[in-house]
């Protein structure tokens, strides 16, 4: 199924492709018809620990091939590596978990999309695996798939927040400096007044 979907998304897709020296075997190896990229598509149906799937993902990536992992039930490794959970709507495979978008200063759950559209965007570098920091509570996966445009929106938002924070800090420092100068001026005036009063007191005593 992944090979058919990968082909439908615009890639050359081959089943059971081995890596160099047989260090790994991809369920489906999707590649650009122009030879610019390769991505391993892995349907993990049997049980596997998060550490083991991370090791497998790292082993494939060690040969310059990123991977995307797919499951049909909530698995403990989902979101540990770049992965999504797939379901079916009207006999069409759709991504039901693992997508996020940036909205009003935080990452929120994105709408479902067909598996073909998801892979088309991944192949086209329009989507990337990402670890958001500010997120809603329902986004429990560590690694999520986000649109590149949303990353730019987040970057602009963070720049705005940092600018506002820097402006507020500058204002705070200005207020502190104003208060310091005011306090210094007040102390000077107090000293002058005290000196004047002492002088007047001396003059009164000499007059006596």
């Amino acid at each position: 199924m992944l090979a058919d979907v990968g082909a439908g998304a615009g890639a050359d897709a081959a089943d059971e492709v081995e890596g160099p020296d047989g260090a790994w075997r991809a369920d489906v190896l999707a590649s650009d018809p122009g030879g610019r990229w390769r991505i391993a598509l892995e349907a993990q149906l049997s049980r596997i620990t998060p550490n083991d799937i991370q090791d497998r993902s790292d082993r494939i990536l060690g040969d310059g091939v990123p991977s995307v992992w797919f499951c049909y039930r909530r698995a403990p490794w989902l979101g540990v590596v770049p992965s999504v959970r797939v379901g079916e709507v009207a006999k069409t495979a759709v991504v039901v978990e693992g997508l996020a978008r940036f909205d009003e200063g935080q990452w929120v759950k994105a709408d479902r999309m067909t598996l073909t559209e998801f892979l088309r965007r991944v192949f086209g570098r329009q989507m990337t695996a990402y670890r958001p920091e500010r997120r809603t509570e329902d986004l429990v996966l560590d690694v999520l798939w986000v649109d590149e445009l949303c990353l730019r929106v987040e970057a602009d938002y963070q720049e705005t927040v940092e600018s506002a924070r820097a402006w507020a800090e500058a204002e705070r420092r200005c207020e502190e400096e104003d208060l310091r100068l005011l306090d210094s001026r007040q102390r000077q005036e107090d000293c002058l007044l005290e000196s004047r009063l002492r002088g007047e007191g001396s003059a009164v005593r000499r007059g006596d």
Side-chain angles (χ1 to χ4, degrees), residues 21-96:
D21 302 322
W24 50 268
R25 179 193 297 269
D27 290 340
V28 174
L29 187 65
S31 58
D32 173 43
R36 292 172 296 179
W37 51 262
R38 295 182 300 163
I39 297 178
L41 309 180
E42 301 287 343
Q44 186 61 39
L45 305 181
S46 59
R47 290 186 177 183
I48 187 172
T49 67
N51 286 339
D52 285 344
I53 205 166
Q54 183 68 71
D55 288 343
R56 287 178 57 183
S57 179
D58 291 343
R59 191 159 58 247
I60 299 172
L61 188 60
D63 287 320
V65 181
S67 57
V68 185
W69 297 76
F70 303 87
C71 62
Y72 296 94
R73 296 186 179 90
R74 175 59 90 80
W77 52 262
L78 184 63
V80 173
V81 293
S83 52
V84 293
R85 183 163 64 88
V86 179
E88 188 174 283
V89 176
K91 297 183 179 180
T92 299
V94 297
V95 176
V96 298

Side-chain angles (χ1 to χ4, degrees), residues 102-127:
F102 193 73
D103 183 56
E104 296 185 355
Q106 63 181 343
W107 290 92
V108 302
K109 188 175 182 179
D111 294 335
R112 298 177 177 183
M113 70 174 63
T114 66
L115 184 57
T116 300
E117 176 64 13
F118 169 72
L119 287 179
R120 185 187 69 78
R121 295 189 185 188
V122 172
F123 296 159
R125 309 298 170 87
Q126 295 171 289
M127 297 195 76

